[in-house]
Amino acid sequence: MGHTLFEKIWETHAAAQTAGGSTLIAIDRVFLHERTGAAALKRMAEMGRAVLDPARVFAVMDHIVDTRPGRGDSTLMQGGEGFITETRAACKAAGITLFDVNDRDQGIVHVISPEQGIVLPGVTLVAPDSHTCTQGAFGALAWGIGSSEAEHAMVTGTLRLEKPKTMRVTFDGKLQSGVTAKDMILTLIAAHGAGGGAGHVVEFAGEAVRAMDMEARMTLCNMATEFSAMTGLIAPDAKTYEYLAGRTYAPPHFDDPYWSTLKSDEDAAFDQEIVIDAGAIAPMVSWGTSPEHTIPVDGTVPNGPARAHEYTGLVAGVALAGTPIDVAFIGSCTNSRISDLRRAARLLNGRTIAPSIKKAMVVPGSLSVKRQAEAEGLDKVFIAAGFEWRMSGCSLCFFAGGEGFPEGSRTISSTNRNFEGRQGPGIKTHIASPETVAASALAGAIADPRDYMRQEEAAA
């Protein structure tokens, strides 16, 4: 019987079996950020332990950096400056590469790692962030870990793991116009639950996945953690290697025979299989307090958990579209790449957001994305429409005790989580694609982006 892509990477990296039956897995890359990086490196130094191979460890300032123009080390989080200055000092002492606050390559870890060619097909990569699974889009085994695990990986080059089960999610057919990778992953989670992938590595496959560019694949893999999977991954192909060619840390050529093995064999068996009709997927919007509380934008609110209805103030049976919103946010490691910004800007071009919108923000995923967007004039489109144009960082994907939206606001957001208080005290978050965020900002209420696309087509 053949092997899955995950099994091939696992077996290649299995260093030893422990007495308890778990496996020591060799770790190729470790990525840190300022929320936990300094603490991990300081504890290692206090115990007299050094980074085994500094060339394989990277760090970035992204989680609590100020995204307002003209930023420095100061943050809007109380005590946040200390995280930044201590991480900088600890990285210098350890000899590891740091993408600092205003480094030209700074950005969200899961955006800049692919941009720099740090993640590569077939590698193992870990970071103290649950959305590390984003990088599985490159055929890597990438997952989130805790701070103490990061220390172990840096010191020993290994981590002890129980082997997860395997799942393949196949998206058959072609997506409709206006439907994106964000809608695909939300459809999966809504249909099979936020715990549907627990204990599994999920491989995404099928015609719709093969048709995606690399940035869309990253969006798909990003929310594997919202499905409770250990990680998500996609078999690398020509698009993968074309994307990585010429990147700073990527090899000059991908001609090693190993690269050609990085796919699931035709006779590989998965522990679980899910098949979804891609052509039936519509733009999706969450209505409750979990990513599984998601429905098509033109659907009606279902009868869900009482607490979710209480928190969001939405009653079962009412149409979701037309629900007034106060705030629009485009950003996060899920949807802040150049293709995301291009699609949102296309919808906003020549239009302005509704006067009822209290705040609208665009936060590029990296300074590289920001420069490219500005070279294309996208920043001018967003600003003319009524959005703030920011520096790169995680920003208000989550509330870190600093900057926030007006308390109790209803937000349409291209982020990945709609938990209670995720974006601030009492904030009601509706997660959706960048296009749906843009359309909703224009309407002042949750709106279907396809309506604006039809207007464009009619005027053409």
XYZ file of all heavy atoms in Angstrom, residues 110 125-133 142-146 149 159 225 230-231:
148
model
N 3.543 34.017 9.113
C 3.080 33.064 8.103
C 2.975 33.692 6.726
O 2.715 32.992 5.738
C 1.732 32.468 8.511
C 1.680 32.110 9.955
N 2.603 31.274 10.535
C 0.856 32.508 10.957
C 2.338 31.162 11.827
N 1.289 31.904 12.098
N 8.343 22.514 10.066
C 8.466 23.888 10.545
C 7.484 24.102 11.684
O 6.306 23.728 11.577
C 8.181 24.878 9.411
C 8.362 26.369 9.704
C 8.756 27.120 8.426
C 7.095 27.004 10.283
N 7.963 24.690 12.782
C 7.107 24.937 13.938
C 7.247 26.376 14.394
O 8.277 27.019 14.168
C 7.451 23.981 15.108
C 7.153 22.544 14.741
C 8.906 24.131 15.545
N 6.218 26.867 15.047
C 6.222 28.216 15.617
C 5.186 28.258 16.739
O 4.179 27.538 16.679
C 5.893 29.264 14.551
N 5.414 29.099 17.750
C 4.429 29.225 18.835
C 3.219 30.045 18.395
O 2.926 31.116 18.923
C 5.226 29.935 19.950
C 6.645 29.863 19.550
C 6.651 29.844 18.047
N 2.520 29.540 17.413
C 1.337 30.205 16.869
C 0.495 29.147 16.171
O 1.002 28.396 15.336
C 1.737 31.297 15.877
C 0.545 32.110 15.407
O -0.260 31.573 14.617
O 0.405 33.280 15.822
N -0.780 29.096 16.505
C -1.628 28.014 16.002
C -1.828 28.049 14.493
O -2.190 27.031 13.893
C -2.997 28.052 16.701
O -3.642 29.289 16.468
N -1.598 29.204 13.863
C -1.825 29.297 12.420
C -0.576 28.998 11.594
O -0.531 29.290 10.394
C -2.417 30.665 12.072
C -3.815 30.828 12.597
N -4.087 31.540 13.739
C -4.984 30.296 12.183
C -5.390 31.460 13.996
N -5.952 30.707 13.071
N 0.405 28.371 12.227
C 1.586 27.901 11.501
C 1.184 26.929 10.397
O 1.896 26.789 9.388
C 2.574 27.249 12.476
O 2.894 28.193 13.517
C 3.851 26.820 11.792
N 0.045 26.290 10.551
C -0.471 25.367 9.526
C -0.649 26.048 8.174
O -0.713 25.360 7.133
C -1.785 24.748 9.974
S -3.044 25.929 10.514
N 3.883 21.706 8.896
C 4.035 22.918 9.691
C 2.908 22.989 10.710
O 1.741 22.859 10.352
C 4.014 24.145 8.782
N 3.264 23.192 11.967
C 2.222 23.236 12.994
C 2.622 24.135 14.150
O 3.788 24.454 14.362
C 1.897 21.824 13.476
C 2.929 21.137 14.328
C 2.942 21.039 15.689
C 4.098 20.433 13.871
N 4.035 20.314 16.116
C 4.762 19.929 15.025
C 4.646 20.170 12.617
C 5.940 19.198 14.945
C 5.829 19.447 12.539
C 6.457 18.966 13.689
N 1.610 24.550 14.929
C 1.822 25.417 16.066
C 2.199 24.646 17.310
O 1.731 23.529 17.535
N 3.062 25.258 18.124
C 3.547 24.620 19.346
C 3.512 25.618 20.496
O 3.252 26.803 20.294
C 5.000 24.099 19.168
C 5.924 25.251 18.753
C 5.039 22.962 18.165
C 7.391 24.889 18.699
N 3.806 25.146 21.702
C 3.914 26.011 22.860
C 5.328 26.549 23.018
O 6.267 26.096 22.354
N 7.914 23.956 24.045
C 8.260 23.090 22.908
C 9.224 23.801 21.965
O 10.120 23.176 21.385
C 6.996 22.680 22.154
C 6.104 21.713 22.906
C 4.837 21.416 22.126
O 4.076 22.354 21.845
O 4.618 20.242 21.787
N 11.320 17.260 18.284
C 10.149 17.309 19.161
C 9.558 15.904 19.251
O 9.594 15.144 18.272
C 9.085 18.282 18.617
C 9.328 19.774 18.861
C 8.241 20.593 18.171
C 9.368 20.100 20.350
N -6.486 24.803 11.619
C -6.515 24.794 13.085
C -7.905 25.099 13.614
O -8.288 24.626 14.686
C -5.476 25.792 13.653
O -5.385 25.621 15.071
C -5.827 27.228 13.320
N -4.271 18.966 13.423
C -2.895 19.295 13.779
C -2.333 20.284 12.765
O -1.658 21.250 13.115
C -2.032 18.034 13.798
C -0.552 18.305 13.980
S 0.477 16.868 13.620
C 2.103 17.593 13.584
N -2.619 20.027 11.493
C -2.198 20.918 10.430
C -2.945 20.564 9.158
O -3.634 19.534 9.083
C -0.678 20.826 10.184
O -0.276 21.885 9.300
C -0.276 19.484 9.603
